[in-house]
Amino acid sequence: MTTYSKIVGTGSYLPAKRVTNHELAAQLAEQGIETSDEWIVTRSGISARHYAEPDQLSSDLALQAAQRALEAAGMQPNDIDLIIMATSTPDHLGGFPSTACVVQRKLGITNGAPAMDVQAVCSGFVYAMSVADSFIKSGAHKNVLVIGAEVFSRILDFKDRTTCVLFGDGAGAIVMSASQEPGVLATKLHADGSHGHILCVPGSVNNGTVAGSAYLYMDGPAVFKLAVSLLDKVAREALEAARMQSTEVDWLVPHQANIRIMQGTAKKMGLPLEKMVVTVAEHGNTSAASIPLALDQAVRDGRIQPGHTVMMEGVGGGFTWGAVLVRM
Ligand SMILES: CC(C)(COP(=O)(O)OP(=O)(O)OC[C@H]1O[C@@H](n2cnc3c(N)ncnc32)[C@H](O)[C@@H]1OP(=O)(O)O)[C@@H](O)C(=O)NCCC(=O)NCCS
């Protein structure tokens, strides 16, 4: 009998501190940097974002989201036999110990479940889901905790108005379990390292100091152009792999980077905008956390129901992009 992987619980967490465009514009104005609510909303669709407290790490946000996903799945931490964490803002410099291992400890998982981070920036969650799906289908693991968590505010240069207004912090998580019914219907992942320079943190650590910039750099217009052309294509590839039409998709849960990119993708796919889950206005771009945050919100408010077909897709630094088609 075929084994599928199925989402059996979702959870998410946003840090308490909410900063509106008006508040951010006022803070930036004090440093002589000009921006406005009108510019940010018109160009990106973002009205507010949440920022973690200085002592909150990605693992802290991840812990809250994971606990909620476990509760929704009706599971205890030690029921989990694999943890996959998507983050580009890991707790530790160099990424080790992995933030997944930190979350394992904070959740109190003592069963030796393997834990690893996946780095694909804003595509991280679809990458992590695809890895979880493969492990479950292979029979190696049964209950996988998949998390996307970020504290992007730590790598934002608040002197660069072209980037600092766009990102926020948050976490989302799902539990994926082995099931006799689908589940994940198709996954498609891609990368093209030749575009690495248009969205990156250029610096590196050498001899105990940072060489180059430790801040996020983005060529916004170049990213925009690439994203629009890639997302519709990868969503179609996933549909084709599942032998389905876009008309069979109940919900599009895209990476929440920019409302114009999201609307463009929905339009190209022939999906009415009412079928798209949108959280970018309130969350900003939370990178690997944005898809599970949006998914959890739509599950909890009752829009996404068991049996619905959901397309998740994202694009991010690397360049990376991918799509996961699931039946809830
Ligand atoms: C970043 C982005 C919103 C910029 O929008 P845009 O329409 O391309 O704007 P541009 O970068 O061409 O800048 C237009 C003008 O606005 C100005 N500007 C940039 N940021 C600004 C801000 N926060 N406030 C006010 N003005 C700003 C620029 O300096 C420029 O001024 P100029 O014409 O005098 O030089 C857009 O390119 C984008 O969304 N890109 C994709 C980002 C993304 O999705 N990233 C994540 C991928 S995972």
Side-chain angles (χ1 to χ4, degrees), residues 68-124:
R68 290 172 190 182
L70 284 167
E71 197 184 333
M75 284 187 195
Q76 297 301 315
N78 274 312
D79 294 332
I80 295 298
D81 60 10
L82 173 64
I83 302 168
I84 307 176
M85 167 100 184
T87 186
S88 296
T89 46
D91 285 15
H92 296 283
L93 201 62
F96 73 88
S98 73
T99 308
C101 282
V102 179
V103 172
Q104 188 220 45
R105 173 176 58 79
K106 289 185 176 176
L107 275 171
I109 293 179
T110 51
N111 61 8
M116 62 176 158
D117 287 359
V118 163
Q119 166 58 291
V121 203
C122 301
S123 314

Side-chain angles (χ1 to χ4, degrees), residues 193-208:
S194 71
H195 299 295
H197 60 288
I198 64 172
L199 179 50
C200 58
V201 177
S204 56
V205 179
N206 191 355
N207 199 22

